[in-house]
């Protein structure tokens, strides 16, 4: 990464109240591994250095707003793709343990190899699978402190996929763009149906670029009915609300 990209990363992190200068070498290595991975398979649509720094690295770090991801928590990253937001968050917050989940094996293979290259294999433990299936396995159901999610599905779909994985008192941290009132309303009703409640809606601008983002926090208040999540594809094809 060139020096202006590192400066952008630092400025973006500073806007979020973070200092990631000690992690610069790890972010540079992550950048290289993404470029290499992208030349072998289609990992991410973002190709320029500036886009990767601002729209992957800094954008992922915005999930730390509000302090919902602090301390020794287990965090599922649902639909992690090439490892976002897992990698920037794991670099910025060494206490967190991540379980990046994706249904695409080659993406999870990339995440596993990248975690090892970054020395994060002890606390980044990827799982290949669909949320609809993992949500019914006792090793994953109602086990985790947090589910974090970026760019995967609408809020009602996310509620159905994520809440079964959370322990009572756990939080879904959903990073969205400019969420509509209709989506938010449907998300509130879906959250209630699966044992949760929307506790926080925090709109903000992406550092430096200003693009609209919203962090939505759903707390799990009671156990999720065993009928959720519904079978593969149904949550998306027929959202709860
Ligand atoms: N979170 C990443 C990011 O922000 O760059 C990736 C976003 S990508 C648009 C969505 C990812 O979610 C894809 O890699 C897809 O395979 C995964 N995905 C979608 N639905 C899923 C499900 N039901 N269970 C597991 N993974 C899913």
């Amino acid at each position: 990464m060139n020096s202006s990209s590192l400066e952008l990363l630092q400025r973006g992190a500073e806007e979020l109240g973070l200092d990631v200068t000690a992690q610069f070498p790890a972010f540079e290595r992550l950048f290289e591994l993404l470029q290499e991975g992208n030349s072998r398979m289609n990992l991410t649509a973002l190709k320029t250095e500036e886009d990767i720094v601002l729209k992957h690295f800094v954008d992922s770090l915005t999930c730390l707003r509000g302090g919902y991801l602090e301390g020794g928590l287990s965090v599922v990253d649902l639909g992690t793709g090439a490892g976002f937001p897992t990698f920037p968050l794991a670099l910025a917050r060494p206490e967190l343990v991540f379980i990046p989940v994706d249904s695409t094996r080659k993406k999870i293979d990339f995440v596993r190899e990248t975690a090892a290259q970054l020395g994060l294999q002890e606390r980044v433990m990827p799982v290949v699978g669909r949320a609809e299936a993992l949500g019914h396995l006792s090793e994953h159901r109602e086990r985790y402190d947090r589910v974090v999610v970026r760019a995967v599905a609408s809020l009602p779909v996310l509620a159905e996929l994520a809440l079964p994985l959370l322990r009572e008192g756990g939080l879904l941290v959903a990073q969205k763009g400019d969420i509509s009132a209709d989506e938010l309303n449907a998300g509130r009703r879906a959250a209630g149906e699966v044992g949760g409640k929307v506790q926080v809606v925090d709109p903000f601008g992406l550092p430096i670029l200003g693009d609209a983002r919203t962090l939505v926090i759903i707390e799990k208040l009671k156990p999720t009915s065993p009928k959720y999540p519904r079978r593969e594809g149904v949550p998306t094809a027929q959202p709860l609300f």
Side-chain angles (χ1 to χ4, degrees):
M1 266 161 70
N2 61 42
S3 59
S4 65
S5 299
L6 288 173
E7 198 188 309
L8 272 184
L9 175 59
Q10 182 52 18
R11 272 179 51 211
E14 262 170 23
E15 273 195 43
L16 296 165
L18 303 167
D19 180 359
V20 293
T21 42
Q23 286 80 42
F24 273 1
F27 275 105
E28 288 187 272
R29 185 75 187 116
L30 175 58
F31 177 81
E32 279 170 21
L33 293 165
L34 262 181
Q35 300 280 68
E36 269 173 44
N38 248 341
S39 65
R40 284 183 280 125
M41 60 185 135
N42 193 18
L43 273 179
T44 162
L46 301 179
K47 309 280 186 226
T48 72
E49 207 162 310
E50 184 177 318
D51 268 355
I52 289 176
V53 167
L54 293 178
K55 296 186 184 167
H56 274 327
F57 295 175
V58 175
D59 192 79
S60 293
L61 291 172
T62 68
C63 297
L64 295 172
R65 277 175 68 89
Y68 305 105
L69 297 171
E70 302 294 331
L73 303 169
S74 55
V75 186
V76 171
D77 174 6
L78 195 58
T80 190
F84 295 96
T86 284
F87 286 124
L89 295 177
L91 292 175
R93 287 288 179 267
E95 330 76 64
L96 298 173
V97 172
F98 284 89
I99 301 88
V101 168
D102 206 284
S103 50
T104 307
R105 180 171 296 278
K106 66 176 184 161
K107 291 186 180 172
I108 287 297
D109 287 344
F110 172 82
V111 171
R112 189 177 297 104
E113 284 158 25
T114 302
Q117 290 278 337
L118 297 174
L120 295 171
Q121 65 275 23
E122 303 290 314
R123 56 189 189 87
V124 173
M125 291 165 290
V127 172
V128 62
R130 289 196 65 93
E132 293 92 324
L134 299 179
H136 287 288
L137 300 178
S138 61
E139 60 191 291
H140 297 295
R141 190 174 179 92
E142 314 214 302
R143 295 274 168 200
Y144 300 105
D145 300 311
R146 301 286 184 268
V147 175
V148 69
V149 70
R150 189 186 82 144
V152 174
S154 68
L155 198 58
V157 176
L158 294 177
E160 179 172 357
L161 296 179
L163 271 277
L165 299 167
L166 286 169
R167 65 166 172 80
E168 278 177 63
L171 302 177
L172 165 62
V173 178
Q175 199 241 44
K176 306 282 299 174
D178 189 10
I179 190 169
S180 70
D182 281 352
E183 183 180 343
L184 194 53
N185 214 9
R188 287 186 198 281
R189 296 168 72 192
E193 175 67 19
V194 295
K197 184 171 186 227
V198 174
Q199 299 287 27
V200 179
V201 179
D202 171 25
F204 62 97
L206 180 62
I208 300 167
L209 296 176
D211 303 12
R213 294 286 183 273
T214 311
L215 213 57
V216 180
I217 309 297
I218 298 180
E219 183 177 1
K220 170 122 164 198
L221 299 175
K222 56 183 187 190
T224 303
S225 161
K227 65 184 176 192
Y228 298 122
R230 291 168 292 165
R231 64 174 200 286
E232 184 174 328
V234 178
T236 312
Q238 295 160 33
L240 286 171
F241 292 97

